[in-house]
Amino acid sequence: MARTRAVLLVVLCAAPLLVACGGGGDRGVILHWYVAEDTAGAYRQAAERCADASAGRYRIRVEPLPQTSDTQRELLVRRLAARDRTVDIMGLDVIWTAEFAEAGWLRPWTGARAVQVSAGVLAGPLATARYRGRLWAAPFTSNTQLLWYRKSRTPSPAPTWDQVIAQAEALPGGDNEVAVQGGRYEGYTVWVNSLLASAGTELVADPDRPDRARAGLAPGPTREALAVIRRLASSPVADGGLSVATEVETEQAMLSGRAAFSLNYASLYATVRDQQPALLADLGWTRYPQVVPGRRSRPPLGGTNLGVGAYSPHPELALDAAACLRSAPNQQVAATGGGLPPTISALYDDPAVVREFPFAELLRQGIEQAAPRPATPAYSDVSLAVQLVLHPPASVNPDTVVPRLRRTIDDALTSKALL
Amino acid sequence: MRRLGWYAGSAAVLLVAVLPVAWILSLSLKSPATVTDKRLWPADPTLENYRSIFGSALFTRALVNSVGIGLLSTALAVALATPAAYALTRLHFRGKALILPLTLAVAVFPPVAIAGPLFDLWRALRLYDTWPGLVIPYLSFALPLAMWTLTAFFRGLPWEMEQAAQADGATPWQAFRRVVVPLARPGVLTAAILVFFFAWNDFVFAISLTSSDRSRTVPAALAFFPGDERLSQPVGSIAAAAVVVTVPVLVAALVFQRRLVAGLTAGVVKV
Amino acid sequence: MSIGGATVFVPRRPRRKRRPQAGHRTAWLLTAPAVIVMLAVAAYPVGYAVWLSLHRYDLRFPEQRGFVGLGNYAAVLTASVFWTDLGATVVITVVAVTAEMVLGFAIALILRRGLAGRRAVRAALLLPYGIITVVAAFAWQYAATPDLSFLSDRAWLGERWSSFAVVIATEVWKSTPFVALLLLAGLTAVPDELMETAEIDGAGAWQRFTRVLLPGIRPVLLVVLLYRTLDSIRVFDTVFIQTRGANGTETLSLLAYNQLAVRLNLGLGSAVSVLLFALTAALALSYVWVFRADLRELSRGGR
């Protein structure tokens, strides 16, 4: 009978519900930490250590997010927009602070705690955690890119992009690629932003004033910056898969020997050391290339800040826990175990950290002089606008594309753009 | 000679239909180290991918969600559609001619057009990331499908048997229970299977209206499987999960073959 | 999403003139729940979508909600992205549906032969039909990834037209069985006597095909064509999994999703959804109008 079947089906459905509703008992409060895990488990260690130090007041459960920034944002943003109460602590990419703060998804840091998590922190990362005068997150890890090269092929790289590309082109035989992240994702905007900053201009002027924010893009410097993209994309030393290359591909290019130069984050060193130690002796590193000869380059600025969700039912505990998670000992473990550069300046002199990063001083310098991406709430749209107009790299025409880029960024800043 | 041509065509169809499934099966049996060996069949088949997906709550929870939400949607759709289909085939009433075209119209709505407003609505009603939050939009395609299949099926039933039973002295209710229900059962089962498959298959609603393993179904979980750093996707795990959710389809294709084909084509030709 | 069967042949028995008059009330009582639920779960959200599309509604700027009239539509229709994506959708639809109809017809002809083993073929056909689209997308994606594939060394998903090829192949693989099974049912309805009479009258194989068979299944063909077209316009799952819209393969559904779920711009996203819905409706209506004679014949039943 149809009716009996229906009843049976409903009962069948209820069973899994009952299973699902059963929850374990908990000792103390469980705080959920949404973060993309590092490969060495350093985050979990930090979570354990802080839980122990809390003397039973809370435990921290790591909820892993995917590895790409775009996907992490997508998943977090949806939960926050739905006022998810399980989001206690988040590992925030440095570019999300303005967006999340403006939308009311973050709890601000104030008073003594704010002082505690700002003390001794490098200026660049600290600025990424602030928006419109308030502190919205606690700086945790940082990152920047260096120019990595094969010492045997190029004993001393030149300082500017054009010269580096020329050096690569002049190398005899194959295996002379210059590997850059040219895929259609956030990594591409990172490159574009650093080029523009190195040339002396910016993507967005007044980014933290939503009523006044507009596209920057001074004509001369912008053209110079975009000319670098065109130069590389049309050069024989560009990777065939430049238009889909991410950090994975650029690291791989160095490991496989295809590349003479590779623009990569600090983690390349650890990767080479672990996967191809023989290559280590030949691996050189130097500062991010300049766009304008003599003008100091502005490398990319990455990293993770720790934010507390506005809808968390345990704000005070979460703030305490986050403050513990980003403390110096945990940052040191994240550096030595997870290969993630710290934000506390003093740690760059720590012997264990220097052992992990022989280029520690260069790293600190790079981070201090890095170019942050625009701190506007509409940043993700601005990034999409950049990807829409300037991708694939081979299509960039510095003489004609700037007006369209400016228009699209302006539309993005006012939520009018279809992207 | 021409006969051979037809047989070759038959074999080709069989091969093409099965090959992608075999391929994903093969990938699921490769270990992470050998997944890039580019062979059609693994040299050293291993079940470690299956072990790993059943070891994590992510996949098992997604399975529970898929099964539960699928069954709930099916039950609701069939429960609502059966009386309606009965009325449409057996009874005369004004406005009757509008109903089937209405179901057709509802069925061609793009799911993404419904998902957007629902995301906003569910936020306010706290139905986001819950089972009812998915079951309700599922009815937007489950109901029309159930109604079409059942209507078409019911039209082919010998209704005079019901009248004969009444003529023999049974009450309308008895006639319904003793005669109509057994006749209708196969159609209801077919409609249920077809609806369940559609709910099982949904992707747009699943990724738009869920965010955690509370209600995320398998297709959505597959799309957001956490990967390790080296490969951007955990190919072996995804393949294993894919095989696991294809097994019911396989079973149904073998066991319910005739019923399914009849249900699909019901209405185009007399069943 | 497809629905089996379109409209219905009345059984060939003589129509009964008398039916139990159960009254309008019972009838409406039985059908009302289904109708109400359908309107609630479909019409209401679409109505809400229309309302949303008339506002600037960005979840990241909650204070800046406001009525903008047709502003969102203007932004959408003047954006090159919209037209590119419309083009991509059209390309996928036209190529995939054509392939499905042709291949489906061929397979139906093969099955109609009544060869040994056809039950196995039919069961095999149910596999692509029943398999989850996302799974099919992964299978074909992994066959097109140079690092994994046993078939090819080329990065199919790295360029525009080869990406289209993979997406279309997946869609065709998934949907042709549906077409084949329906066309087979339609073919079976063409009585063998008609074909035999034609043969006796001296018609060649090709003439039998075009003059007897095709006209015989024309109504079914058109209905299947309509369903597949409307379904293909909404393609989402395959493109999402395989390319996420990269390389110019983004479709209208994916465009709407990106505005809604990724950018949280409900105003713009709803505008795109409404346009997509209008496009679907316009297609369906114009189709029904152009082929109204055939569809009427199909519902009248019998010849």
Side-chain angles (χ1 to χ4, degrees):
Chain A
M1 277 243 315
R3 191 166 300 170
T4 332
R5 285 191 65 246
V7 170
L8 266 172
L9 281 170
V10 171
V11 168
L12 257 170
C13 306
L17 264 172
L18 289 171
V19 169
C21 286
D26 45 26
R27 304 155 261 133
V29 165
I30 295 191
L31 298 171
H32 301 266
W33 181 22
Y34 287 86
V35 67
E37 282 200 88
D38 65 300
T39 41
Y43 286 176
R44 283 190 194 264
Q45 280 182 41
E48 296 246 342
R49 205 171 304 132
C50 286
D52 293 338
S54 78
R57 281 191 309 143
Y58 58 76
R59 287 168 6 101
I60 304 179
R61 206 167 91 173
V62 172
E63 309 279 1
L65 291 176
Q67 287 294 325
T68 44
S69 171
D70 300 313
T71 326
Q72 290 161 24
R73 178 189 163 277
E74 201 178 312
L75 294 177
L76 272 178
V77 140
R78 199 173 307 169
R79 285 173 182 271
L80 291 167
R83 301 195 196 96
D84 191 330
R85 291 161 60 83
T86 69
V87 180
D88 298 305
I89 310 172
M90 298 172 268
L92 301 170
D93 195 329
V94 291
I95 45 176
W96 301 338
T97 311
E99 178 179 0
F100 286 29
E102 182 77 32
W105 295 333
L106 290 176
R107 202 167 275 281
W109 293 69
T110 52
R113 273 203 212 97
V115 173
Q116 176 196 4
V117 301
S118 321
V121 172
L122 293 164
L126 185 57
T128 65
R130 300 182 70 89
Y131 175 65
R132 302 197 92 182
R134 303 182 77 177
L135 185 69
W136 295 95
F140 184 29
T141 66
S142 185
N143 220 331
T144 186
Q145 285 191 358
L146 302 172
L147 176 64
W148 303 86
Y149 62 98
R150 303 289 295 271
K151 294 199 277 219
S152 57
R153 315 212 72 209
T154 314
S156 73
T160 74
W161 279 96
D162 282 335
Q163 290 166 349
V164 165
I165 298 174
Q167 274 184 328
E169 283 170 346
L171 286 175
D175 292 345
N176 56 354
E177 269 178 30
V178 177
V180 187
Q181 293 90 34
R184 192 174 169 166
Y185 75 123
E186 179 59 30
Y188 191 58
T189 313
V190 167
W191 185 26
V192 170
N193 185 65
S194 277
L195 288 175
L196 288 169
S198 303
T201 181
E202 56 190 348
L203 276 172
V204 176
D206 286 331
D208 55 348
R209 305 281 303 275
D211 49 325
R212 293 215 342 222
R214 65 206 175 282
L217 300 175
T222 308
R223 213 174 299 136
E224 285 178 323
L226 295 181
V228 169
I229 301 181
R230 175 148 77 169
R231 176 94 166 77
L232 180 59
S234 55
S235 158
V237 300
D239 190 305
L242 175 65
S243 68
V244 292
T246 67
E247 287 87 357
V248 173
E249 278 79 21
T250 51
E251 277 194 356
Q252 193 57 34
M254 204 57 167
L255 284 172
S256 68
R258 260 194 348 257
F261 298 93
S262 179
L263 277 308
N264 252 298
Y265 289 98
S267 53
L268 178 62
Y269 184 81
T271 310
V272 170
R273 185 191 56 206
D274 297 336
Q275 293 193 10
Q276 260 189 273
L279 177 56
L280 210 54
D282 195 29
L283 189 65
W285 50 78
T286 183
R287 194 189 164 105
Y288 200 78
Q290 304 168 349
V291 170
V292 179
R295 196 194 175 106
R296 210 160 52 177
S297 69
R298 307 287 306 277
L301 182 63
T304 305
N305 299 327
L306 295 178
V308 169
Y311 309 109
S312 162
H314 316 285
E316 296 298 312
L317 285 180
L319 287 167
D320 281 342
C324 166
L325 284 171
R326 52 71 59 196
S327 58
N330 288 326
Q331 284 199 23
Q332 201 222 38
V333 175
T336 55
L340 298 165
T343 48
I344 297 178
S345 181
L347 281 174
Y348 284 87
D349 303 314
D350 182 303
V353 172
V354 174
R355 235 192 335 263
E356 173 74 17
F357 301 123
F359 40 89
E361 194 47 46
L362 187 61
L363 204 55
R364 170 157 58 182
Q365 213 184 64
I367 291 175
E368 275 172 343
Q369 293 162 3
R373 283 159 277 169
T376 159
Y379 173 72
S380 56
D381 287 353
V382 170
S383 179
L384 284 176
V386 168
Q387 294 167 35
L388 179 69
V389 177
L390 294 180
H391 195 274
S395 72
V396 171
N397 184 337
D399 301 315
T400 58
V401 78
V402 179
R404 184 166 158 231
L405 181 61
R406 185 174 290 129
R407 236 184 2 251
T408 317
I409 291 182
D410 280 330
D411 282 345
L413 288 166
T414 50
S415 297
K416 275 211 291 266
L418 191 69
L419 297 166
Chain B
M1 198 53 219
R2 281 189 50 216
R3 190 152 260 258
L4 206 60
W6 288 107
Y7 270 110
S10 251
V13 170
L14 199 77
L15 192 67
V16 172
V18 169
L19 196 57
V21 183
W23 170 235
I24 204 98
L25 176 65
S26 144
L27 279 175
S28 73
L29 295 172
K30 292 186 184 177
S31 70
T34 62
V35 78
T36 50
D37 64 10
K38 295 174 70 85
R39 290 172 51 121
L40 176 53
W41 194 254
D44 202 3
T46 161
L47 289 179
E48 72 176 271
N49 289 316
Y50 291 93
R51 269 193 291 267
S52 92
I53 59 169
F54 280 111
S56 85
L58 173 74
F59 181 65
T60 46
R61 275 295 325 203
L63 259 182
V64 167
N65 290 333
S66 270
V67 170
I69 293 175
L71 286 177
L72 259 175
S73 316
T74 307
L76 269 174
V78 168
L80 284 170
T82 310
Y86 177 79
L88 281 173
T89 44
R90 300 286 291 123
L91 307 172
H92 267 311
F93 55 99
R94 243 205 322 243
K96 167 175 164 172
L98 287 174
I99 294 189
L100 281 180
L102 172 70
T103 62
L104 172 59
V106 167
V108 300
F109 279 30
V112 77
I114 303 179
L118 278 186
F119 175 72
D120 199 37
L121 266 173
W122 281 183
R123 285 187 335 135
L125 296 176
R126 302 195 142 268
L127 280 178
Y128 182 75
D129 202 27
T130 61
W131 278 26
L134 271 189
V135 170
I136 295 175
Y138 277 18
L139 290 177
S140 72
F141 56 76
L143 250 184
L145 176 60
M147 284 195 59
W148 276 107
T149 314
L150 285 169
T151 312
F153 186 82
F154 281 4
R155 283 199 207 200
L157 289 185
W159 293 105
E160 58 271 16
M161 286 181 62
E162 183 190 18
Q163 282 158 318
Q166 282 185 309
D168 281 349
T171 70
W173 177 239
Q174 282 177 323
F176 181 77
R177 269 198 59 182
R178 296 276 173 73
V179 176
V180 175
V181 168
L183 282 179
R185 213 178 310 190
V188 171
L189 181 60
T190 309
I193 297 175
L194 286 174
V195 167
F196 185 80
F197 271 167
F198 270 104
W200 192 246
N201 189 28
D202 163 77
F203 185 57
V204 179
F205 292 129
I207 53 169
S208 310
L209 301 175
T210 70
S211 64
S212 77
D213 62 5
R214 258 201 313 171
S215 65
R216 180 165 275 169
T217 58
V218 175
L222 280 179
F224 290 123
F225 250 51
D228 67 345
E229 244 179 81
R230 292 306 124 195
L231 265 181
S232 42
Q233 270 175 358
V235 175
S237 303
I238 292 182
V243 169
V244 169
V245 299
T246 307
V247 163
V249 177
L250 254 167
V251 166
L254 291 173
V255 172
F256 293 116
Q257 192 199 130
R258 186 169 301 169
R259 200 187 287 284
L260 279 176
V261 174
L264 267 184
T265 61
V268 175
V269 92
K270 180 175 157 213
V271 171
Chain C
M1 186 183 68
S2 337
I3 299 184
T7 48
V8 176
F9 275 16
V10 173
R12 289 188 197 162
R13 286 186 296 280
R15 254 189 118 116
R16 298 204 134 259
K17 285 293 164 81
R18 217 199 313 258
R19 283 189 173 180
Q21 296 295 330
H24 289 198
R25 186 107 72 71
T26 325
W28 272 108
L29 252 155
L30 290 174
T31 53
V35 171
I36 292 174
V37 171
M38 271 198 299
L39 289 175
V41 301
Y44 178 64
V46 171
Y48 190 45
V50 173
W51 186 85
L52 279 175
S53 70
L54 301 173
H55 290 72
R56 181 194 177 186
Y57 190 179
D58 190 328
L59 287 177
R60 297 161 316 160
F61 300 100
E63 279 104 51
Q64 293 187 22
R65 286 177 66 163
F67 184 76
V68 291
L70 295 177
N72 285 326
Y73 290 98
V76 170
L77 290 171
T78 54
S80 64
V81 168
F82 177 75
W83 297 102
T84 314
D85 291 2
L86 178 62
T89 312
V90 168
V91 164
I92 294 178
T93 301
V94 167
V95 177
V97 174
T98 312
E100 287 161 21
M101 297 300 290
V102 168
L103 287 173
F105 199 92
I107 296 175
L109 287 175
I110 292 178
L111 284 173
R112 184 165 166 270
R113 279 270 138 179
L115 300 172
R118 76 177 181 288
R119 204 165 303 149
V121 177
R122 228 170 43 160
L125 280 180
L126 284 176
L127 211 52
Y129 173 74
I131 208 174
I132 299 183
T133 313
V134 166
V135 167
F138 274 121
W140 281 87
Q141 180 192 30
Y142 294 155
T145 308
D147 279 338
L148 304 166
S149 168
F150 69 100
L151 274 178
S152 160
D153 272 331
R154 183 181 163 174
W156 287 82
L157 293 169
E159 289 161 50
R160 189 170 200 213
W161 294 103
S162 50
S163 301
F164 272 135
V166 179
V167 170
I168 291 173
T170 314
E171 286 287 301
V172 169
W173 181 80
K174 177 96 179 56
S175 308
T176 304
F178 172 74
V179 175
L181 289 171
L182 274 153
L183 289 183
L184 174 64
L187 284 176
T188 326
V190 175
D192 287 325
E193 305 89 65
L194 273 179
M195 295 287 279
E196 283 161 12
T197 323
E199 193 169 4
I200 292 172
D201 283 348
W206 181 250
Q207 280 179 318
R208 283 202 309 268
F209 183 75
T210 51
R211 295 284 177 79
V212 181
L213 205 56
L214 271 184
I217 59 164
R218 191 178 137 109
V220 177
L221 240 164
L222 292 175
V223 167
V224 173
L225 182 63
L226 173 66
Y227 278 125
R228 284 308 316 148
T229 310
L230 294 181
D231 215 21
S232 220
I233 296 265
R234 299 174 294 172
V235 64
F236 180 89
D237 307 15
T238 310
V239 182
F240 185 97
I241 294 290
Q242 292 181 339
T243 65
R244 199 63 199 269
N247 295 318
T249 56
E250 188 176 74
T251 60
L252 285 177
S253 287
L254 200 52
L255 179 66
Y257 174 80
N258 281 335
Q259 311 313 305
L260 290 166
V262 178
R263 298 183 59 204
L264 294 183
N265 193 325
L266 300 186
L268 278 177
S270 299
V272 177
S273 308
V274 170
L275 283 172
L276 176 61
F277 169 65
L279 176 65
T280 316
L283 253 171
L285 285 173
S286 59
Y287 194 94
V288 167
W289 175 254
V290 168
F291 294 115
R292 61 191 180 282
D294 291 281
L295 294 174
R296 209 179 300 136
E297 180 184 323
L298 189 65
S299 66
R300 208 180 302 127
R303 243 165 301 153

